[in-house]
Amino acid sequence: MKYTDNAINIITAKTYKGIGRAWINKMLKGNESVETIVSLLNNNSKQEELITVDDFEFDKNQILTKIENFQDSCDGLVAIGDKNFPKYRGNVKESERPIFLFYKGDISLLDFEHSCITVIGLLNPDEKIEIREQKIVAEIVKKEVIIVSGLAFGCDSIAHKQALIGGKTIAVLPSPLNNIMPAKNKGLAFEIVEEGGLLITEYYDEHKSAMDLSSRYKDRDRLQALFCDAIILAASYAQDTAERWKIFGQKLDSGARLAMGFAKDYNIPRAVMYDQKLDSENPMFDLNRQLIAEQKDITILTQKSLEDLINKVKSKNNNTTVIQANLFD
């Protein structure tokens, strides 16, 4: 497993009370000495007692012990200050900028020179949605654009699997690399790496509670937005779908809503798969309809608008989006 001393220092600093991504992004550039980091921590952390260099080195060794147990499940760790730490896209506030990433596969796929499009959606799409999503992903991959998604069931898995037919894909995980979630997609994760793709996560330890796991899924959704040049929603329920359509006993709301929200915050171009004639009475498109109503210039995918979106992504000229007639007319 590859990592720098700097990366371990960054992770160790984050373990102290009151120290989060915002503090590290503001106070550290990377490659500071342990003495400098300890001094900054003592000036800013909420520790009851002063931290010594020996304390820091002890905690650092604890981190090293944990990550070295990854063995073959992780290829490396990169952090701010490392020369191969990837750049995020869009306007991202300090508290949401990544400070380190664990990876398996080709970390260079996140380099800014590569074009990436995130494709996401709900967990239980019907067959018609699957076919339409596959068609969109196939067009994107044909133009040598990398597909990003979250390895979840449903639309995420469809995006990854279609991308593997002649292309590259990146999976963003809410779990450490030695415990792939969902476990049933472990084989898909291995295939992504074997085909030259990438797995990334911000986590090296197990979640401590249901609330912690929920937070990790939210972080996964955030990374899907900040490491892409555009994001596409295949289909998704909205927060009020169960009440509106009287559907009970199912978890309908998905992380797709959060990822699309992050993309809006980061000024990442957003697009949706939607056909008024086909989808107006389908609750699986509630979020798509909601986003169209909220953002009048959001891209509704057609053959032409998809082509335009891909061209803008490849040229990094993502300042305008267009609504066109539907791709599936």
Side-chain angles (χ1 to χ4, degrees), residues 231-263:
I231 188 168
I232 292 173
L233 175 65
S236 182
Y237 300 109
Q239 274 187 296
D240 62 350
T241 293
E243 180 181 353
R244 184 188 305 174
W245 295 86
K246 309 302 179 187
I247 303 172
F248 304 107
Q250 299 181 52
K251 181 185 181 299
L252 299 182
D253 188 27
S254 72
R257 175 178 58 84
L258 296 176
M260 294 300 283
F262 282 122

Side-chain angles (χ1 to χ4, degrees), residues 21-53:
R21 286 190 295 259
W23 185 92
I24 289 176
N25 276 305
K26 184 176 181 179
M27 303 301 296
L28 302 179
K29 301 299 182 185
N31 296 299
E32 290 86 356
S33 68
V34 169
E35 289 77 11
T36 298
I37 295 172
V38 168
S39 176
L40 290 168
L41 287 171
N42 284 327
N43 288 334
N44 292 276
S45 76
K46 298 179 181 178
Q47 302 294 318
E48 295 179 359
E49 298 181 358
L50 288 179
I51 303 163
T52 67
V53 170

Side-chain angles (χ1 to χ4, degrees), residues 120-121 233 235-241 244 253-261 270 272 274 282-294 298:
I120 53 174
L233 175 65
S236 182
Y237 300 109
Q239 274 187 296
D240 62 350
T241 293
R244 184 188 305 174
D253 188 27
S254 72
R257 175 178 58 84
L258 296 176
M260 294 300 283
R270 303 189 299 170
V272 296
Y274 191 71
N282 188 341
M284 290 184 176
F285 286 91
D286 274 1
L287 181 60
N288 303 53
R289 281 188 289 273
Q290 186 180 98
L291 294 176
I292 291 168
E294 291 173 355
I298 197 168

